[in-house]
Amino acid sequence: MNATLLRFASRAAAALAVSLVAAGGAAGQTLQLTDSSATVLRGGAYANTNLSSDLLLATRASGDATYVRRIALKFDTHNTIPAGTPIASALLTLTVAGGNAEPRPIGAYRIAASYQEGEATWSRRSASATWAAGGGDLAELVASATVTDAPGSRVVFDVTALVQRAIDGAFVTSRYTRIGLVDGGASSRDSYKEYFSDEAADVLVRPVLTVTYAQPTPQVPVTAPVVPPATAPAPVTEPAPAPAPVPEPAPVLPPVTAPSTSVEPAAGAPVPLRVLQYNTHHGGFGTDGRYDPDRLATWMAKMTPDVILLNEVEKYTSWGNQDQPARYKALMEAKTGKTWYSVFAQEFGAWTANGKGHLILSTYPLESTDMFDVSWDRAAAAARVTVNGRTISLMVTHLDPDDYTRRLAQSKQVMLWGTGVAENRILTGDMNAWPDQTSIAEFVKTYYDSWAVAEKAGKAVSFSGLTPSGATKKGRIDYIFYSKQSADLTVVGSQVFDTRDANGVMPSDHRPVVTTFLVK
């Protein structure tokens, strides 16, 4: 593995769902899967309640169905491990958060049917499909362990046989590994146990499936050539339960403004500049788990942006194994008929190396570019363009997802770096913080939040049912700021787009936001 991939691997516990780490000896390499699609299935009065957003998972055995709790977990061993790969071991580890004192026997069972994390309940595996048996369609017992109430203690299940069978394609539905954790003891008030979920702020306590390869060690390609979009095979995703047909929602169109253009206007006329900020979720992995850059680029083209600032774009990593910066440039040119100029900044500071980073795309030529190394393996990128005779500096960053003290320090670093960037400045990014956090307060000392400006003027456009207003994920964490010294920029409007298809699937786990400026 080259140095870039090693850095990529070492950071996976903090930012990624999959990691490859070097392991000595004959066992070869180890793959850590931390995206567990974890949810609690609770019976009785909660049989139709989805609990996937809870910060804690729980197990409990009780004679009263309302108190019974089980855990459902799902790991993507389909797209991350080639079919038939021999493995030496597969260990599922959970971290105990607390609970009642009695030690309990917890069994790990194979879940025989697919489920949707945000929809699964005791009764249903998705909004449109029920379990064959309430509580998760449990098949055979594959492992067991005893759990105490000691906070921070680790519970390890040896699920090697199950994972190997999944990789070998023994189960008809897919090669995903699905596991149900069940308290197999007698009904007891003291059986209640809590575990940290995949929503925990500390990534080190989230559920993890650690797979160690047997010899020969599979090779992870890092320099494979780009596969043309027309022939690139899409990764197979976990089959979703057949949903009830619903009419496809009409795309939300941008607010009515002057048309987007990069053509020189009549002298003295202001020019609209549409700025799109989008976290691509590793370059186009949708909420259905399917990798499809074309699907995401189609939505971007619909939003008619003039400049695009993207987070989580991958260059020859396990997330798609493509040169995504080149792919998105080509896709946007094909879909818009325009020339797009681009710069990619790999997030670990090796700017053009393989890895995860930021991509700036512009219909205006890039007159200069700059990159800045931010603490804790983060970065910022900048590009300068000229619009209507005015200098516009475009900047993009991505703050730490788990630690607010790191975000505050990173925001201060980006702000200091930005003082050396020419006005008019536009700064965007996935800031991983709601507007009331200290890192955002740091930005708004010298920048305006364009969504807040548009909302105050009654020009912020969302869509029905979106809560809170302007939410780009579970809250409003993606921003388009502009400097308070940007005398040539005026906000016309801002919009968060509804990118769901007829099945409720989005091309990324974030929603895009577009702000339209007038450049005087």
Side-chain angles (χ1 to χ4, degrees), residues 49 145 179 193 199 214 232 270 290 335 382 391 393 399 403 433-434 476 480:
T49 302
I179 301 170
K193 295 291 182 290
E199 301 288 336
R290 181 164 63 88
K335 292 177 184 297
T391 294
S393 293
L399 302 189
D403 190 310
W434 288 31
R476 189 159 72 85
I480 299 174

Side-chain angles (χ1 to χ4, degrees), residues 14-161:
L16 300 178
V18 181
S19 70
L20 278 169
V21 295
Q29 292 177 327
T30 295
L31 179 72
Q32 290 186 318
L33 301 174
T34 57
D35 185 353
S36 59
S37 296
T39 188
V40 173
L41 308 179
R42 184 172 178 180
Y46 293 85
N48 292 306
T49 302
N50 176 261
L51 302 172
S52 61
S53 62
D54 287 2
L55 295 180
L56 295 175
L57 305 171
T59 54
R60 184 172 181 177
S62 175
D64 185 337
T66 293
Y67 294 103
V68 175
R69 294 171 176 85
R70 298 174 177 176
I71 298 171
L73 303 162
K74 178 171 62 176
F75 296 92
D76 184 1
T77 49
H78 193 128
N79 294 307
T80 56
I81 304 176
T85 299
I87 63 171
S89 68
L91 302 178
L92 169 64
T93 304
L94 277 76
T95 303
V96 174
N100 294 334
E102 182 181 338
R104 298 297 297 182
I106 305 298
Y109 293 80
R110 178 172 68 90
I111 295 178
S114 64
Y115 70 89
Q116 300 301 303
E117 176 189 358
E119 300 171 1
T121 68
W122 183 274
S123 300
R124 310 189 68 84
R125 56 195 182 99
S126 76
S128 58
T130 59
W131 297 107
D137 284 9
L138 302 179
E140 68 275 10
L141 176 70
V142 296
S144 60
T146 299
V147 181
T148 70
D149 65 337
S153 61
R154 300 294 174 89
V155 187
V156 180
F157 300 89
D158 187 341
V159 293
T160 305

Side-chain angles (χ1 to χ4, degrees), residues 284-368:
F285 281 85
T287 54
D288 56 357
R290 181 164 63 88
Y291 175 60
D292 191 347
D294 185 82
R295 175 173 59 178
L296 191 142
T298 297
W299 269 105
M300 292 199 302
K302 288 181 181 179
M303 300 172 215
T304 63
D306 299 299
V307 295
I308 303 171
L309 300 104
L310 301 178
N311 299 125
E312 293 192 14
V313 175
E314 308 277 350
K315 185 176 180 182
Y316 292 133
T317 73
S318 59
W319 296 94
N321 191 31
Q322 286 188 320
D323 184 349
Q324 292 179 2
R327 180 83 188 275
Y328 277 112
K329 180 179 184 296
L331 284 169
M332 289 306 296
E333 288 183 336
K335 292 177 184 297
T336 65
K338 298 179 180 179
T339 298
W340 287 81
Y341 304 89
S342 66
V343 60
F344 173 70
Q346 197 258 19
E347 209 167 51
F348 315 125
W351 311 131
T352 60
N354 297 340
K356 177 167 71 75
H358 313 305
L359 178 64
I360 300 176
L361 292 164
S362 170
T363 56
Y364 294 90
L366 305 184
E367 299 170 1
S368 66

Side-chain angles (χ1 to χ4, degrees), residues 439-464:
S439 53
I440 304 305
E442 189 67 27
F443 287 122
V444 298
K445 287 179 180 178
T446 54
Y447 285 78
Y448 293 116
D449 176 355
S450 67
W451 174 271
V453 170
E455 191 169 44
K456 185 175 181 180
K459 296 178 180 179
V461 178
S462 188
F463 56 89
S464 177

